Amino acid sequence: AALAIFVIVSSTSTEKQNKTVDTHLTTVQVTQDGLNLSFAGFITGEPFDSGTVQLDQVLSAPLRVGETIQIDGNMVANFENGSIRANYQVDGVGKRDGSLEVDGEGEITDGTGDFENATGDITFTGSRPNLEEPQGTFFVKGDVEYEGEE
């Protein structure tokens, strides 16, 4: 008697996606512990659609009017179909009107779901119109490459 064994190999090929990042973040400061700040809010824009965002930041020094400080940050953005992680380093400038402007660069370091293994280079800019108020508006732009679905 002969026994035949068949092996079926199934492979799903996922093509790398290269996309332009152009997002808008609307956040509120939720905690501050010394020079460590956390923000939560919403992110909208390409190529991710809309979702929630968490920013954790470490200031190099207390912010003072007319002075520039360095801010190191981590961003986690969650969407219905996946998430992305990024690191950024910006200069924060305290303005005489009590506002803060930030400008710097970073990188997308990982992703899940449709944005599996995301990587890319980004710019991170924005402001807080009044440091006495918790709101901030930021913009993340650049390029991203990921292995997920289109």
Side-chain angles (χ1 to χ4, degrees):
L3 179 63
I5 298 176
F6 296 95
V7 177
I8 299 173
V9 177
S10 173
S11 72
T12 55
S13 174
T14 308
E15 216 175 286
K16 284 201 179 237
Q17 305 292 320
N18 291 291
K19 302 286 184 176
T20 298
V21 176
D22 188 0
T23 63
H24 176 250
L25 287 64
T26 304
T27 64
V28 174
Q29 182 180 327
V30 291
T31 64
Q32 180 169 359
D33 181 11
L35 299 177
N36 299 297
L37 290 80
S38 290
F39 295 82
F42 299 99
I43 181 171
T44 58
E46 298 298 326
F48 310 112
D49 204 14
S50 61
T52 60
V53 66
Q54 171 81 31
L55 305 175
D56 293 310
Q57 300 179 344
V58 178
L59 310 181
S60 63
L63 188 61
R64 293 188 175 89
V65 172
E67 292 186 14
T68 300
I69 63 168
Q70 183 175 308
I71 302 171
D72 293 320
N74 294 305
M75 178 179 85
V76 177
N78 293 296
F79 309 97
E80 184 176 323
N81 54 347
S83 68
I84 60 161
R85 292 184 175 276
N87 301 322
Y88 56 91
Q89 190 172 70
V90 297
D91 288 332
V93 179
K95 300 292 187 173
R96 293 203 181 282
D97 64 1
S99 67
L100 168 73
E101 290 186 6
V102 298
D103 186 8
E105 298 179 342
E107 61 183 355
I108 296 172
T109 59
D110 198 11
T112 65
D114 284 358
F115 311 111
E116 191 73 31
N117 298 319
T119 59
D121 294 319
I122 56 171
T123 60
F124 190 99
T125 60
S127 65
R128 288 181 62 188
N130 181 346
L131 290 175
E132 300 299 319
E133 301 293 327
Q135 295 86 3
T137 301
F138 305 101
F139 302 92
V140 176
K141 298 183 180 199
D143 295 300
V144 64
E145 181 177 271
Y146 52 89
E147 297 174 2
E149 301 294 321
E150 182 160 9

